[in-house]
Amino acid sequence: MQENLSLYHIFYTVGRTGNISQAAKELFISQPAISKSIQKLEENLGTVLFSRSSRGVTMTPDGAALFEKVREAFSILSEGEDFILHNRYRNIPRLRIGASSTLSKYVLLTHLKSYVASHPEVRINISCQSTYQTLKLLDQGKIDIGLIGRPKNLHGYHFRPLLSISDTFVATRQYLKNQQELYFGEPLFHTATFMMLDEENISRQSVNSELKEHQIELSHILEVTSMDLLIEFAQISLGIACVIREFVESELNQGILVEVPMGMTFSSREIGFVCRKKEEHLPLLCHFFPKDED
């Protein structure tokens, strides 16, 4: 029986495809090797399994009967493999994280590096969306932890602050020079293109609120979906970008970008990890919520 196992696999493939040439392609062996294997199996069983013709092969009654049994056997083997693989993946610990693409790049990356080093067995899934969407996924149990800007209401959540950030407007010196030459004496609020994140973003909402409080109205706004794009657009002198200051410190220090005076100072905001309060001490989350910080 044992010596026939590989022969049965070849027999099954030929029977399924009905063509020795096609079976040879699937099994990555030559057609003569296929024919020789079928002949050997027929000799072992003392019967003829296929009738050959110019159009291919056709199973004999004995061949058809054997094929059904072999197909059932391979089906059972496949189910066994699927069962083992399912159990293996089911037992792998999973950590589902929600964060915006901006926070993923500028904040989460550093924390993930140390987490992966200390928890190599954990499979990590990351969902990129806004703070509000991240909190919604937490409520629905679709993620385990979020990295967000601190919202006003955190009832039912545990929040661990990581850093304070502040909004600012930046541009190139060349863009500001061009504006001055083109619209001499006119305020930037009326002439310049202000590039900002979309209205659903918590950073944009915070900036809008403070601009309104100081009675500042921007005439020309270009909405962009990514903080990285805002920074890049500002660098090519496309306009004045509203960005998080801590994320453009390098560009400011190098003089690539400069801060644009707005006649006001934006309040700082907190960025941190958040999870459902009842889950803050789960083993997979302890790295992000150390007990000594409670």
Side-chain angles (χ1 to χ4, degrees):
M1 173 65 181
Q2 185 173 355
E3 65 180 13
N4 287 342
L5 288 178
S6 62
L7 301 180
Y8 282 128
H9 185 217
I10 294 172
F11 164 76
Y12 173 71
T13 306
V14 174
R16 179 171 53 79
T17 61
N19 188 286
I20 290 179
S21 176
Q22 183 61 37
K25 290 180 181 179
E26 289 193 16
L27 297 172
F28 298 100
I29 56 179
S30 67
Q31 293 185 44
I34 293 281
S35 297
K36 187 175 180 179
S37 297
I38 295 298
Q39 184 179 0
K40 185 176 181 180
L41 183 60
E42 289 176 330
E43 291 174 355
N44 292 343
L45 297 176
T47 187
V48 176
L49 300 173
F50 291 104
S51 298
R52 283 80 168 172
S53 71
S54 59
R55 291 181 296 180
V57 294
T58 305
M59 284 183 282
T60 64
D62 280 351
L66 180 63
F67 181 81
E68 290 303 318
K69 297 299 182 182
V70 171
R71 180 167 58 183
E72 291 176 10
F74 277 115
S75 177
I76 292 172
L77 286 174
S78 180
E79 289 177 7
E81 289 179 346
D82 291 343
F83 177 78
I84 296 297
L85 290 173
H86 175 74
N87 281 345
R88 180 191 302 170
Y89 292 130
R90 184 182 62 186
N91 294 329
I92 292 177
R94 255 192 335 159
L95 179 64
R96 302 164 300 172
I97 304 173
S100 69
S101 56
T102 300
L103 295 183
S104 292
K105 175 180 178 179
Y106 292 99
V107 183
L108 180 60
L109 197 59
T110 301
H111 291 270
L112 275 185
K113 184 177 180 180
S114 59
Y115 186 86
V116 170
S118 57
H119 299 79
E121 77 287 357
V122 177
R123 175 171 295 180
I124 296 174
N125 296 326
I126 301 175
S127 301
C128 290
Q129 65 277 307
S130 70
T131 286
Y132 297 120
Q133 290 170 319
T134 294
L135 289 173
K136 184 177 181 180
L137 290 180
L138 269 178
D139 282 337
Q140 296 172 343
K142 294 182 178 179
I143 60 174
D144 307 300
I145 183 174
L147 177 61
I148 63 173
R150 184 169 194 157
K152 294 180 180 179
N153 183 12
L154 275 171
H155 180 70
Y157 297 108
H158 176 67
F159 182 84
R160 176 199 171 196
L162 295 177
L163 72 158
S164 292
I165 60 172
S166 57
D167 300 293
T168 188
F169 284 86
V170 298
T172 60
R173 295 182 188 277
Q174 185 61 50
Y175 181 80
L176 297 178
K177 180 181 178 182
N178 291 343
Q179 288 294 302
Q180 186 176 28
E181 291 176 352
L182 291 169
Y183 308 102
F184 183 76
E186 291 289 324
L188 285 173
F189 301 148
H190 296 164
T191 63
T193 297
F194 286 85
M195 301 179 293
M196 307 178 74
L197 294 172
D198 59 75
E199 293 277 4
E200 293 184 3
N201 189 280
I202 194 171
S203 294
R204 171 69 182 279
Q205 293 175 9
S206 175
V207 170
N208 281 353
S209 177
E210 297 207 38
L211 289 176
K212 185 176 181 180
E213 184 178 333
H214 287 80
Q215 298 182 332
I216 296 175
E217 186 174 347
L218 308 178
S219 297
H220 309 289
I221 295 178
L222 171 64
E223 288 194 345
V224 180
T225 59
S226 159
M227 181 72 66
D228 282 342
L229 284 177
L230 284 175
I231 296 171
E232 291 180 18
F233 286 166
Q235 290 179 15
I236 64 170
S237 299
L238 187 61
I240 298 173
C242 181
V243 299
I244 294 174
R245 192 186 192 285
E246 287 71 16
F247 299 163
V248 292
E249 285 186 348
S250 175
E251 288 82 358
L252 292 174
N253 292 335
Q254 296 176 57
I256 298 172
L257 296 172
V258 296
E259 291 190 81
V260 179
M262 299 292 288
M264 57 173 290
T265 301
F266 290 100
S267 304
S268 61
R269 296 180 285 116
E270 282 188 318
I271 295 295
F273 287 117
V274 63
C275 70
R276 291 178 291 273
K277 199 161 185 64
K278 60 184 179 180
E279 297 176 352
E280 61 186 283
H281 297 305
L282 291 178
L284 287 180
L285 302 186
C286 288
H287 177 91
F288 302 99
F289 301 97
K291 291 183 179 180
D292 57 4
E293 291 188 9
D294 288 355

